Amino acid sequence: GAGVSQTPSNKVTEKGKYVELRCDPISGHTALYWYRQSLGQGPEFLIYFQGTGAADDSGLPNDRFFAVRPEGSVSTLKIQRTERGDSAVYLCASSYASSGRVDNEQFFGPGTRLTVL
Amino acid sequence: SQQGEEDPQALSIQEGENATMNCSYKTSINNLQWYRQNSGRGLVHLILIRSNEREKHSGRLRVTLDTSKKSSSLLITASRAADTASYFCATDREETSGSRLTFGEGTQLTVNP
């Protein structure tokens, strides 16, 4: 596709359940990013992949959050034992730039709105 | 944590007027980027300015960067109702070069027809 796609667009789950959010980056983009955005705030960084490996996962809030990118393309963000505080829009972005480049314009997907009841 | 702070938090103007939004940040950067967001979903990249640049133009957008004051401004000239959106500045910090962007909390711009 032409842009970054994310599925599902909306996810409603119950407290304690497990969820998976998927991101399909722009073809050829080696860098992939996950952000979380709460209402009225800017996106907050969660994790960054360069290829298949997580180059920086320091933004993950706790060990209930995990992300993979096994073939260097599609990524899945996994949240275990969801809590109401996990409710937010989860944004994925991809970039052609690699670490150390000066310009790293990121292209964002439409996001997944997660609601934990 | 948020690095940038935008002001104002909200701005309401009439169509045809200019809109100016400001952003301040705290640490040394490689570049600063401005993004637009409609309805709390995906962000659209508007413009990137490098740390060694002072001003950049793109259509009706003008961005300035003052690294000595750690601040940037986004000017939208001849605004249109379709410019109504949230605008965020984001920094690519030297210490995390090429990885994360650090976003501010945004300015909600409303352009009244």
Side-chain angles (χ1 to χ4, degrees), chain B residues 4-23:
Chain B
E5 294 182 1
E6 281 103 328
D7 81 272
Q9 289 188 327
L11 179 62
S12 182
I13 59 174
Q14 295 300 122
E15 208 164 26
E17 294 180 339
N18 295 341
T20 299
M21 289 160 271
N22 302 297
C23 167

Side-chain angles (χ1 to χ4, degrees), chain A residues 48-72:
Chain A
Y48 154 60
F49 287 90
Q50 185 59 246
T52 60
D56 182 356
D57 66 357
S58 60
L60 295 177
N62 52 59
D63 61 6
R64 295 186 298 105
F65 289 74
F66 188 71
V68 296
R69 194 186 186 200
E71 297 178 357

Side-chain angles (χ1 to χ4, degrees), chain A residues 5-50:
Chain A
S5 61
Q6 292 186 247
T7 54
S9 57
N10 288 282
K11 176 70 177 178
V12 180
T13 190
E14 293 180 342
K15 181 175 178 296
K17 298 291 188 183
Y18 168 82
V19 297
E20 289 189 352
L21 311 179
R22 176 188 168 108
C23 172
D24 203 336
I26 293 172
S27 178
H29 280 191
T30 57
L32 184 146
Y33 314 80
W34 284 99
Y35 294 84
R36 177 169 73 172
Q37 185 177 25
S38 299
L39 191 63
Q41 298 185 6
E44 288 190 300
F45 170 80
L46 295 176
I47 187 169
Y48 154 60
F49 287 90
Q50 185 59 246

